Amino acid sequence: MSAPEDQTNRMLNIRKSLTYGLGRRMTLYFGLMIGAFVSTLIYLNTITQLELVHTRFSERSDSLGILIQEVTLPYLFEGRPAELDIIYQELMRQPDILSLRFIDPDGFLLVNGSSEGNALFLGRVDDELVTEATASETTHIRNLQGRIQVAVPAIYGNVNYGTIRFDLDGTAANREVNLVLRRNLMFGVFFTLTGILLSIWISRRLTEPLARLNSATERAAKGNLNQSIVIRTNDEVESLADSFNLMLGNLRAWVKSLEDTQTKLEISSDDLNDKNAELQVVAEQAKSAEKAKSQFLARMSHEIRTPMNGVLGMTELLADTELTNNQLSLVDSIHTSGSTLLNIINDILDFSKIDSGHMTLRDDPYRPTELLDNTAQMLSFQAGQAGVDLITRVAPDLPKSLLGDESRLKQVIINLVGNALKFTDDGYVLINLTLKEENDAPVMQVDVCDTGCGIPEEKLAAVFDQFTQVDGSYSRKHQGTGLGLAIAKGFVELMGGRIWVKSTVGTGTTFTFNVPLMEPDIPLPPRALDSADLSGMKVLVLQSEPTALFVMNEMMSAWNAQVATFETAKTGLESLRDAQASGAPYDVVLTEMGMPDMGRKDLFRAIYEAKSGPETRVIALRPMNDAIHRSGEENLLTNCEVIKPVQAPKLLEALTAPHAGGIKQSAEENTTIDASATIGTAHKQVASELEAPSSDKTILIVDDNKTNRKLIEIFLNRLGITHHSASDGEEAVEIYRDCHPDLVLMDVSMPVMNGLDATREIRRLENANGDFQTHIIGLTAHSAPEDREACLDSGMNAHMAKPIKLAQLKDVIAEL
């Protein structure tokens, strides 16, 4: 530490020691205050008295100068300055006059009051004070070494006759000044000492009770509560002492109460410990129950999915055999029931993950239009069976690329639309994606509106509760677990959004949810759909539903097409005829399969007759179920068909498709946009999947479930592929040593040795022998992300969740 820092610390320590304690601080503060007050008074008194002394001597000098001037001027007027010597000598007899002279304006000495000689014989006088007085024509006084020097100009009228110069004895003045200083200094010392003593007395008088109270407080802080303090000062300190005594009394009472309470606590401590032990056991049981619930759901998922794999797979294979229509219908029912059961299992697992907080979401770029189109395509068959129009709309101002979990958003929309289709017998279901703001932040809002029966107001609050249905009676019309809306709510809240519902009985219901709108740093590349331009194309649209007309008009107007929309066939046909007659015919007629005021065949025949020539093309909007079950005898006179719900890419493809030839007379010859891609029934033939050439590859099937092995064996036999089977991992390793298969379909959960350990052993053998690496795919009924990670960590190349889709398995084999 440096010397300046040491000095600073010493000064701080001295200051602390001088100011420690209330008594010292009060003495110091009072002493400083009184000292400053007395010093100020003494100083002011000294200055005042000195000014009085100086004033008195100045007045003496002025009066003497005036007297000498009055005596001198008459002699100067009469020209007798020599006679002034006698008068000046007489004046010199004054005890305080030390010298007296008269000097003419030219600086010569005319009269000298001293006895040294006659003034007429003296010479020139060099006196600075005389020079100043002559120049300023005013009296000048100077105190120099105990002499008071005075120069008085002798002026009469405008004539300066000279200067009277005399010196006075200043000893008396100095003595008086010294007397004033000594007296005031004595007074100052006296009053200062008196003030200090008074401050010491006052501080002790004030702090002594406080010191006693402080000592009592310290003793109380150390635990001595059996004391009291008596202070009689008739002020706040006495009141503080009384409060202190009262506080000690209360503390003594509280201590006694605490001791009693402690005794009671000690008595009940054992009981509390027992209860805590019981609570600990209950908490552990609750944790175990939660873990057991998760394990139970996972186990049940595996146990149900495993036989479901056989049921659904065998159903697909059975549908490929020679069956009668009735048998094919029964197979379709089996497949539909199995798919429904699988969906219920998925719902229960999703709800369990959300409820336990294990559900994770992804943030990947996606296109809102593709999200809506893919979702609508999955629901098209259900909408067609319900006889309900499924309408989709994406607001034009919504960004083309967004960031989020597309699969979970799709699941939420599917749950909401599926619920709406269940309770809507006629009308439409609208999925509307818009850009909104909530709490000054942009959000994507999704509205699912239906024209169904509606929900009673008293039941709106419970629609998102788990295992709850609006109609929960034994006679309810619609079946379900009551988990769909609860899962939708869970996913929306995980995404940081909210979901709500509005409904009017008999009118319809609107489910709405929103999620934060996030855009990717790098937008997805634009599509041709985003820059489509149909400028100059005239389109006539016939649809009976106003909402569908609005969406269609908005979609084609965004492509710059000239659109005319009509809700009845009559008005639409009139517009078609008028346009033909005016020489500006429509390029395209886009129409429903039938209108309220005109049946299907009559409508298309009327359109054909109203237009002339092949330049006006006719595009039919056909429901999905109608496309699947349409009769080959139909003759609709259309150029092209678009399967509902209408998707923007498919509609644009139909509008811009080159017109080759005239109207097709047979429905089987019509061009149908994306009809086959969306027909997903159970009796769909898998023969096309089996039309693969035989392969020289060898496949090992490892599964402890005989039915699952049989399913894959039949499938591979039809493909003409060599295969081996094993019922557990240990047997699989032995077969691997013998045949070195190209592909292993490895079940994960098996007795003796599970699929993960078997995969590790196979990889170890490959590394030890330098063999080529076999392609291993894990087959498991556990569908969680951690199950897939476990498969990949063990050395598997891929993971496939049960039930296995034969088309997917065929693709895997084709890649070998």
Side-chain angles (χ1 to χ4, degrees):
M1 187 178 293
S2 60
E5 292 179 351
D6 291 339
Q7 186 175 0
T8 302
N9 291 334
R10 285 197 297 271
M11 293 297 295
L12 291 174
N13 292 333
I14 293 173
R15 179 181 175 186
K16 289 181 179 179
S17 62
L18 290 176
T19 58
Y20 177 77
L22 182 60
R24 289 185 182 181
R25 287 200 297 275
M26 290 184 67
T27 301
L28 179 61
Y29 297 155
F30 277 121
L32 291 175
M33 182 179 64
I34 293 174
F37 180 72
V38 170
S39 299
T40 302
L41 289 180
I42 295 301
Y43 172 76
L44 295 176
N45 181 264
T46 302
I47 294 299
T48 302
Q49 291 187 10
L50 290 177
E51 288 180 355
L52 291 175
V53 171
H54 291 146
T55 301
R56 187 164 61 253
F57 277 93
S58 296
E59 290 176 351
R60 165 67 176 162
S61 301
D62 291 340
S63 62
L64 186 59
I66 293 172
L67 174 63
I68 296 173
Q69 185 182 32
E70 290 177 351
V71 171
T72 302
L73 286 176
Y75 288 93
L76 294 178
F77 294 158
E78 296 175 3
R80 298 179 295 157
E83 297 180 7
L84 289 174
D85 284 345
I86 300 172
I87 297 174
Y88 275 24
Q89 289 177 7
E90 288 296 328
L91 291 173
M92 284 286 293
R93 295 181 185 277
Q94 295 292 326
D96 56 342
I97 298 177
L98 300 179
S99 66
L100 178 60
R101 294 174 293 174
F102 184 83
I103 302 167
D104 69 2
D106 297 326
F108 292 97
L109 180 63
L110 295 181
V111 181
N112 190 357
S114 67
S115 58
E116 297 175 356
N118 195 306
L120 295 177
F121 301 100
L122 297 178
R124 191 178 184 85
V125 176
D126 187 10
D127 192 330
E128 183 181 353
L129 192 62
V130 172
T131 303
E132 294 175 357
T134 302
S136 63
E137 297 183 353
T138 58
T139 302
H140 276 57
I141 301 174
R142 184 168 57 191
N143 192 341
L144 184 64
Q145 295 179 356
R147 296 172 69 94
I148 301 175
Q149 300 176 350
V150 183
V152 181
I155 299 174
Y156 187 79
N158 294 326
V159 181
N160 187 356
Y161 291 95
T163 303
I164 302 170
R165 175 70 171 81
F166 62 90
D167 291 346
L168 298 178
D169 185 4
T171 305
N174 291 336
R175 284 198 303 270
E176 190 169 352
V177 169
N178 292 334
L179 179 61
V180 169
L181 293 176
R182 286 195 301 272
R183 185 171 61 247
N184 287 343
L185 180 59
M186 291 176 59
F187 285 153
V189 171
F190 172 76
F191 284 116
T192 300
L193 292 176
T194 302
I196 292 173
L197 294 175
L198 182 62
S199 66
I200 293 173
W201 180 81
I202 292 174
S203 65
R204 288 185 177 179
R205 179 72 176 174
L206 294 176
T207 58
E208 190 273 336
L210 292 176
R212 292 171 54 196
L213 188 58
N214 182 59
S215 298
T217 304
E218 290 179 350
R219 292 193 298 270
K222 293 178 181 179
N224 184 8
L225 302 180
N226 296 317
Q227 60 171 325
S228 63
I229 184 171
V230 179
I231 296 177
R232 295 290 181 264
T233 56
N234 195 28
D235 56 15
E236 288 83 357
V237 179
E238 180 179 346
S239 176
L240 183 61
D242 294 340
S243 299
F244 177 77
N245 292 330
L246 179 61
M247 180 186 68
L248 288 182
N250 292 334
L251 284 175
R252 286 193 292 270
W254 289 340
V255 168
K256 187 177 183 307
S257 176
L258 286 174
E259 290 175 351
D260 295 340
T261 303
Q262 184 176 4
T263 302
K264 295 178 182 178
L265 288 174
E266 290 175 354
I267 295 174
S268 60
S269 176
D270 294 338
D271 295 337
L272 288 175
N273 290 334
D274 294 340
K275 290 180 179 179
N276 287 334
E278 293 175 1
L279 289 174
Q280 184 68 26
V281 171
V282 171
E284 293 296 333
Q285 290 175 347
K287 292 180 181 178
S288 299
E290 180 67 24
K291 184 177 181 180
K293 183 184 77 170
S294 300
Q295 292 176 346
F296 171 76
L297 288 173
R299 173 59 61 183
M300 289 304 297
S301 167
H302 179 270
E303 296 301 328
I304 296 176
R305 283 173 181 270
T306 298
M308 283 302 301
N309 179 58
V311 171
L312 295 178
M314 290 296 183
T315 302
E316 290 188 26
L317 292 177
L318 182 60
D320 188 44
T321 61
E322 296 295 333
L323 300 176
T324 65
N325 289 336
N326 289 336
Q327 291 170 334
L328 192 61
S329 176
L330 294 175
V331 171
D332 188 14
S333 298
I334 295 172
H335 192 281
T336 301
S337 299
S339 299
T340 302
L341 179 58
L342 189 62
N343 290 333
I344 293 174
I345 295 170
N346 292 334
D347 283 348
I348 294 174
L349 287 175
D350 285 340
F351 178 76
S352 175
K353 291 177 185 177
I354 295 172
D355 190 47
S356 62
H358 294 156
M359 179 62 69
T360 57
L361 300 176
R362 303 175 62 182
D363 282 332
D364 296 324
Y366 69 93
R367 292 185 176 93
T369 52
E370 290 183 355
L371 164 69
L372 205 54
D373 287 345
N374 294 337
T375 306
Q377 184 173 341
M378 295 175 64
L379 295 164
S380 58
F381 186 73
Q382 184 180 352
Q385 284 186 321
V388 175
D389 231 355
L390 183 58
I391 307 170
T392 62
R393 175 181 180 264
V394 178
D397 58 347
L398 196 66
K400 304 300 181 185
S401 299
L402 293 177
L403 201 63
D405 194 327
E406 182 180 8
S407 63
R408 296 308 181 188
L409 282 171
K410 185 186 300 182
Q411 187 171 348
V412 172
I413 297 174
I414 288 174
N415 283 356
L416 296 179
V417 176
N419 185 76
L421 291 173
K422 271 199 256 182
F423 295 96
T424 304
D425 296 327
D426 187 28
Y428 67 89
V429 173
L430 169 67
I431 313 172
N432 188 22
L433 273 62
T434 55
L435 177 64
K436 299 288 185 180
E437 271 198 10
E438 185 167 295
N439 299 327
D440 298 327
V443 296
M444 181 180 73
Q445 179 166 307
V446 181
D447 298 289
V448 177
C449 313
D450 66 61
T451 57
C453 58
I455 303 173
E457 184 176 357
E458 65 273 10
K459 295 186 178 181
L460 284 177
V463 294
F464 296 110
D465 293 345
Q466 59 196 37
F467 307 112
T468 299
Q469 290 187 325
V470 174
D471 180 12
S473 64
Y474 288 109
S475 59
R476 68 181 189 268
K477 177 181 177 182
H478 305 284
Q479 302 296 318
T481 61
L483 279 178
L485 295 180
I487 293 171
K489 181 174 184 290
F491 278 135
V492 169
E493 290 177 350
L494 278 177
M495 296 176 192
R498 65 185 186 94
I499 186 170
W500 66 96
V501 59
K502 295 180 180 179
S503 182
T504 303
V505 175
T507 301
T509 304
T510 298
F511 282 90
T512 304
F513 72 90
N514 59 33
V515 293
L517 190 142
M518 299 182 293
E519 297 188 54
D521 296 333
I522 302 177
L524 294 172
R527 303 174 299 166
L529 179 69
D530 301 327
S531 58
D533 188 7
L534 301 182
S535 299
M537 179 180 288
K538 292 183 62 178
V539 182
L540 183 147
V541 182
L542 287 176
Q543 285 185 293
S544 58
E545 177 54 56
T547 302
L549 271 179
F550 170 80
V551 174
M552 186 69 71
N553 182 46
E554 181 183 62
M555 186 188 307
M556 288 194 290
S557 296
W559 297 332
N560 300 319
Q562 301 177 29
V563 185
T565 58
F566 300 94
E567 296 181 21
T568 62
K570 180 181 179 182
T571 55
L573 290 171
E574 289 176 357
S575 178
L576 183 62
R577 295 188 190 97
D578 293 342
Q580 185 66 38
S582 65
Y586 286 100
D587 297 295
V588 176
V589 175
L590 190 65
T591 179
E592 297 274 9
M593 297 301 294
M595 298 294 288
D597 57 339
M598 189 173 294
R600 175 180 299 190
K601 292 186 177 181
D602 293 339
L603 173 64
F604 285 97
R605 177 60 60 184
I607 293 174
Y608 179 76
E609 294 173 353
K611 73 183 189 72
S612 63
E615 63 273 7
T616 301
R617 302 175 62 238
V618 180
I619 300 175
L621 303 177
R622 186 184 287 272
M624 171 62 72
N625 63 322
D626 190 37
I628 296 173
H629 300 102
R630 65 181 176 179
S631 171
E633 300 176 355
E634 283 187 325
N635 184 11
L636 296 181
L637 305 172
T638 60
N639 298 90
C640 182
E641 293 179 359
V642 175
I643 302 301
K644 297 171 65 174
V646 178
Q647 301 177 31
K650 302 304 177 184
L651 177 62
L652 182 63
E653 180 183 347
L655 291 173
T656 57
H659 178 48
I663 295 294
K664 303 295 182 182
Q665 297 299 316
S666 172
E668 293 179 349
E669 297 175 353
N670 287 353
T671 302
T672 303
I673 301 299
D674 202 35
S676 62
T678 55
I679 302 174
T681 60
H683 60 266
K684 176 183 177 181
Q685 301 296 311
V686 297
S688 61
E689 308 292 346
L690 303 177
E691 293 174 359
S694 59
S695 172
D696 58 350
K697 303 296 183 181
T698 302
I699 297 177
L700 172 60
I701 307 165
V702 187
D703 199 316
D704 62 325
N705 186 279
K706 184 177 180 180
T707 303
N708 288 339
R709 292 200 308 272
K710 189 66 174 177
L711 168 65
I712 301 176
E713 288 171 356
I714 295 173
F715 181 71
L716 295 180
N717 286 333
R718 292 186 179 184
L719 292 177
I721 296 176
T722 303
H723 58 81
H724 302 275
S725 297
S727 59
D728 58 63
E730 189 174 283
E731 185 180 352
V733 174
E734 293 299 326
I735 296 176
Y736 170 80
R737 287 193 179 100
D738 295 335
C739 68
H740 295 282
D742 299 280
L743 173 65
V744 178
L745 301 175
M746 180 77 74
D747 189 19
V748 173
S749 299
M750 294 182 295
V752 183
M753 177 185 287
N754 62 50
L756 302 178
D757 292 338
T759 300
R760 295 187 184 97
E761 180 62 19
I762 290 174
R763 296 304 185 205
R764 187 190 67 78
L765 293 174
E766 289 174 345
N767 294 332
N769 301 328
D771 296 335
F772 68 91
Q773 191 176 63
T774 299
H775 198 80
I776 304 177
I777 297 179
L779 305 180
T780 175
H782 299 293
S783 58
E786 54 268 23
D787 298 315
R788 180 179 181 276
E789 292 176 5
C791 291
L792 298 180
D793 291 342
S794 69
M796 294 182 183
N797 300 94
H799 165 271
M800 188 182 297
K802 294 180 182 180
I804 302 168
K805 297 184 181 301
L806 298 183
Q808 185 180 4
L809 182 56
K810 182 237 179 187
D811 292 337
V812 172
I813 297 173
E815 291 176 359
L816 290 178

